[in-house]
Amino acid sequence: MKAAKPFDIPKTLVWEAFKLVKANQGSAGIDQESLEDFEQNLSGNLYKLWNRLSSGTYFSPAVKGVAIPKKQGGERVLGIPTVSAFWTTPTDIDQISLH
């Protein structure tokens, strides 16, 4: 029998990832959605993210560029992802899996 989802991503992994994002107290990304906004429909947002990740249809949105001053002068651009994209990179998922 064929599996319903091509990627086996436990829903608990998405929940643990959200808890880490919240603990980090990140700011809103290019979509201007804050953690508080995301939490207004937390269950629905986490389900939508899990569904897209596990079905292979998730595409990360653009990041917000923020200029950060450097100690030696000048600036560097820091990329701020959206709330829902904070934990969707392979490195983040590996880190979450270790907890």
Side-chain angles (χ1 to χ4, degrees):
M1 182 173 172
K2 188 175 178 180
K5 303 283 185 188
F7 299 100
D8 184 22
I9 300 173
K11 290 178 184 174
T12 55
L13 182 66
V14 176
W15 170 245
E16 292 300 320
F18 173 74
K19 291 193 310 189
L20 288 175
V21 169
K22 185 170 180 166
N24 194 33
Q25 300 176 354
S27 63
I30 198 164
D31 63 356
Q32 295 300 308
E33 182 178 44
S34 67
L35 283 168
E36 292 78 23
D37 295 335
F38 190 84
E39 287 180 300
Q40 293 299 313
N41 183 19
L42 183 59
S43 179
N45 286 329
L46 291 178
Y47 177 81
K48 181 170 51 173
L49 180 62
W50 167 81
N51 191 40
R52 289 178 180 170
L53 287 168
S54 61
S55 67
T57 61
Y58 177 81
F59 292 96
S60 183
V63 297
K64 177 181 177 181
V66 177
I68 304 294
K70 294 169 71 174
K71 288 181 182 178
Q72 299 81 13
E75 298 178 331
R76 70 178 182 92
V77 177
L78 178 67
I80 308 293
T82 62
V83 171
S84 64
F86 269 104
W87 57 75
T88 57
T89 66
T91 302
D92 296 333
I93 291 172
D94 287 345
Q95 179 182 0
I96 294 160
S97 297
L98 295 175
H99 283 87

